[in-house]
Amino acid sequence: MEVINMEHTYLKELITEYRPYTTKGEVMADLPCLDNQNQNDLGIAIIDMDNQIYKAGSTDLSFSLQSVSKIISLMVALEDLGEEKVFQTVGMEPMGDFFNTISHLESNDVHRPYNPMVNAGAIAICSLIKGDNVQERFERIMSLLQSITDNDTISYDNNVYQAEKRKGDRNRALAYYMSSTGAVALDPEEALDLYFRINSISFTVEDLARVGLFIANGGKLLNHNKQLISHKHLQTLQAIMMTSGMYNESGNFAVKVGFPCKSGVSGSIVGVVPGRYGIGVVGPAINEKGNSVGGGKILERLSTDLNLNLFSHSI
């Protein structure tokens, strides 16, 4: 079954079938853009290489990127500095601890973060992005996102940004610890400010799907064929998404979904099916690992129904 051959009723049926799973999770209490009224929200958008859009459910829901932003900052840093420099600063190995732990920085011989998908790694990546100040770096990221999504109204939610700063003590500890060891050369406050800002960028599922499509299309915009991000860098990004993009459930998603994904605690997930689709899902009710419960179930079903698991193609 291909998305191109089906009506929107298929996605509507998936939303209806998997909405009950939202009761098994909880909405992140300290995100100003979401509350318990969003418990049962579930939405999906899929965009194919012909720019056909298929949507169902809570497609108008606005949510902050949270950890999905980590793939954006990594793209920009790789394009700015290249892989050698980036991965001298941050590793590329999966980590079994929770995403905001500090213990791995203390136990690792070189004290650098394991990968760019944990908070310490993402903060370090933010310190690498080129620009004379935080505002200039943030504007570069916003400009890229507006081009990728073809949506010049994308902005950040100041209420979420302020909340990120208020509740950011754990992230401050990570940044200052990395600075104290000298393993990561950064200005803690500037790196943190950029990190908080990009976490606070507001998206819809269609915006998410367009980011996924951009990666699936090898760093080119469909309508312009302009190479914005190196194809090689996006290969690296997708590998890291596959191994580390879904927090401590990355292995489970690699097996059951089988294509690169990245989640955020707002309940958002971006999926990349190389050469085929960009997928955006949101379900604010998340599990103890930080992933959308209903959204994860929908991705598993999509992968089976549409034969999207990359590993099944080699058998």
Side-chain angles (χ1 to χ4, degrees), residues 243-284:
T243 58
S244 305
M246 300 298 293
Y247 303 126
N248 287 0
E249 285 189 299
S250 296
N252 181 68
F253 271 78
V255 172
K256 294 183 178 180
V257 176
F259 54 81
C261 295
K262 181 69 191 90
S263 65
V265 293
S266 56
S268 54
I269 306 174
V270 59
V272 178
V273 186
R276 296 178 68 183
Y277 307 119
I279 302 173
V281 178
V282 65

Side-chain angles (χ1 to χ4, degrees), residues 209-229:
R210 291 205 174 277
V211 171
L213 186 69
F214 173 76
I215 299 170
N217 196 40
K220 294 181 180 179
L221 301 178
L222 284 185
N223 298 330
H224 305 288
N225 204 36
K226 181 179 179 182
Q227 193 79 46
L228 297 185
I229 302 291

Side-chain angles (χ1 to χ4, degrees), residues 59-77:
T59 56
D60 293 329
L61 180 66
S62 179
F63 50 87
S64 56
L65 281 181
Q66 297 301 310
S67 283
V68 172
S69 71
K70 292 169 181 173
I71 66 174
I72 310 300
S73 55
L74 179 57
M75 277 195 289
V76 175

